[in-house]
Amino acid sequence: MGIIVNIFAGLIGPSVGQSLFGTWGPSLAGMSLIPSIAGAVIVVAVVSFFLGKKG
């Protein structure tokens, strides 16, 4: 999987994280940090699971 896909997934992650976990914890630039990081990790893991398979 390429770096472009990882960057894209990392940018989409904070939106997903705040949708799933809410807006709690410290904020930076209008985004809650803990849900944003968790969402980015989840999105990158899911994308790498589906696109990382070689078949």
Side-chain angles (χ1 to χ4, degrees), residues 21-47:
F21 303 120
T23 56
W24 54 275
S27 290
L28 181 67
M31 292 189 301
S32 299
L33 292 178
I34 296 171
S36 295
I37 292 170
V41 168
I42 290 169
V43 170
V44 169
V46 168
V47 168

Side-chain angles (χ1 to χ4, degrees), residues 7-30:
I7 291 172
F8 182 71
L11 291 173
I12 298 298
S15 299
V16 172
Q18 287 188 11
S19 296
L20 292 175
F21 303 120
T23 56
W24 54 275
S27 290
L28 181 67

